[in-house]
Amino acid sequence: MEKIDTILDYIAWRGDIPLLTDGFNDVDALIFTQLSYLNFGEIVSADFAEKTKIADAWEKFRSSQNFSERKNVGLVINPLSVDLLEAAAKSVRFSSVELSGFVDKFDDGAEEQFCALVFSFDGKHFVAFRGTDDTIVGWKEDFNLAFKDKVLAQIDAANYLSSFLNALKTPDEIFVGGHSKGGNLAIFSVSELSAENFSKIKRIYNFDGPGFSREKLSSSEFEKLRPLVKSFFPQFSIVGQLFEHFEEFNVVESSGQFLMQHDPFTWAVRGASFVFKESLDEKSEYFSRTWFSA
């Protein structure tokens, strides 16, 4: 396969064009969700009203005394995530995007791993939920999705999103999204909103996130989400084919091998969009039919 452009190439190509000039798109959304895997503790405030520009967050990140610890994202998350933050911070497009509301929870006993933050720009906000990291707890919670009506991370995500929307003073555009488990949390959090807050949501992004039980997906709470959800799966998707999803989704070309396609740094980008395939690979569809139907 010839070399593909990735989200890093996208910033190199598109980074000099402000979001205000050329509007927010799907690739921008994936970049925000990937940045949510980084440790912004003591860099970005948990307070939604206290904001830090990405350019400033990078300077604090790289100059922090525990930089070597911060840049170690574990075995599951691609270390290029740190390079992504640096590239975003040095770009016109992302440098002035403001970060706030950073919450990072880990509870071994309760089997919970949850992290979220908000990206704000030009009267718009993107609420990003982190996916599963390399902790055993994070993976246990993923498996708990199979037999629990709600897991703690889902409850936290719903409370987090409601708190943010209740704190808003202006009628801004709201996007919600996440990669891996973060995509599941994004969908679930919107399903729990009050009617007033639900009306504020413009789009829900699910990047290869596990789904839900057939019963939950067909409920009235979830059926109303269908027009808002935009799902993207790599051509060989395993994590994203767990459980049930809405029928509408996009398949993205990936340079990765098998499960490594879950990594967004393997996803093909062309211009301001992804490179799409007509359907999932046959092996991915086989796994979905054989193992992962709820």
Side-chain angles (χ1 to χ4, degrees):
M1 178 185 293
E2 63 181 87
K3 180 187 180 300
I4 67 169
D5 286 342
T6 68
I7 48 179
L8 276 171
D9 296 304
Y10 168 82
I11 294 182
W13 170 77
R14 204 75 171 176
D16 61 341
I17 303 177
L19 281 159
L20 189 60
T21 301
D22 189 81
F24 177 74
N25 61 53
D26 302 339
V27 181
D28 297 322
L30 180 60
I31 288 171
F32 288 160
T33 62
Q34 188 64 34
L35 290 176
S36 73
Y37 282 109
L38 295 175
N39 176 13
F40 290 108
E42 300 179 347
I43 292 176
V44 176
S45 173
D47 189 335
F48 295 122
E50 186 178 337
K51 303 183 188 303
T52 303
K53 292 182 179 180
I54 284 183
D56 296 329
W58 164 245
E59 287 302 315
K60 294 177 181 178
F61 190 98
R62 72 175 185 85
S63 62
S64 60
Q65 292 184 343
N66 62 342
F67 175 64
S68 59
E69 180 182 339
R70 284 184 188 275
K71 71 177 183 178
N72 180 9
V73 291
L75 300 176
V76 174
I77 310 306
N78 196 317
L80 287 175
S81 300
V82 178
D83 298 323
L84 188 69
L85 175 60
E86 180 179 9
K90 294 179 178 179
S91 72
V92 173
R93 189 167 185 83
F94 298 113
S95 61
S96 61
V97 171
E98 296 177 318
L99 308 179
S100 65
F102 181 72
V103 174
D104 191 1
K105 296 178 65 175
F106 179 86
D107 190 326
D108 195 353
E111 296 183 352
E112 178 188 18
Q113 171 250 323
F114 172 77
C115 181
L117 77 162
V118 178
F119 296 79
S120 301
F121 54 99
D122 303 326
K124 300 178 177 62
H125 307 277
F126 187 96
V127 180
F129 293 109
R130 181 187 291 177
T132 307
D133 54 24
D134 67 343
T135 61
I136 297 298
V137 167
W139 285 97
K140 279 185 179 180
E141 191 169 41
D142 280 0
F143 291 123
N144 287 340
L145 291 171
F147 58 88
K148 289 189 176 181
D149 183 53
K150 298 177 183 179
V151 299
L152 290 175
Q154 290 175 326
I155 296 171
D156 277 340
N159 291 336
Y160 180 94
L161 182 59
S162 291
S163 296
F164 172 66
L165 294 176
N166 291 336
L168 273 181
K169 305 299 182 184
T170 54
D172 298 340
E173 290 186 358
I174 310 299
F175 302 85
V176 187
H179 168 257
S180 193
K181 185 180 74 176
N184 176 286
L185 298 184
I187 295 172
F188 182 87
S189 67
V190 177
S191 75
E192 295 281 295
L193 290 176
S194 66
E196 179 182 359
N197 280 337
F198 179 81
S199 66
K200 302 174 184 177
I201 306 299
K202 183 176 180 64
R203 178 70 67 194
I204 307 168
Y205 283 96
N206 169 34
F207 294 108
D208 207 28
F212 300 86
S213 69
R214 185 177 291 111
E215 179 182 13
K216 186 175 288 292
L217 198 67
S218 61
S219 68
S220 58
E221 291 81 10
F222 271 68
E223 187 59 34
K224 67 182 181 182
L225 305 179
R226 186 185 293 270
L228 298 178
V229 175
K230 200 166 187 179
S231 291
F232 299 83
F233 304 116
Q235 57 199 81
F236 185 84
S237 172
I238 294 298
V239 176
Q241 297 310 299
L242 289 165
F243 318 126
E244 298 289 326
H245 286 279
F246 292 128
E247 296 85 357
E248 306 85 2
F249 60 86
N250 302 276
V251 179
V252 180
E253 180 179 324
S254 169
S255 62
Q257 296 296 314
F258 302 109
L259 188 58
M260 294 306 295
Q261 292 193 17
H262 187 57
D263 178 3
F265 285 96
T266 71
W267 292 17
V269 177
R270 181 178 298 139
S273 181
F274 298 108
V275 178
F276 295 111
K277 306 287 284 187
E278 289 187 2
S279 62
L280 294 168
D281 286 355
E282 290 184 3
K283 289 182 179 180
S284 179
E285 293 181 337
Y286 172 79
F287 274 109
S288 176
R289 291 193 308 267
T290 307
W291 298 100
F292 300 141
S293 293

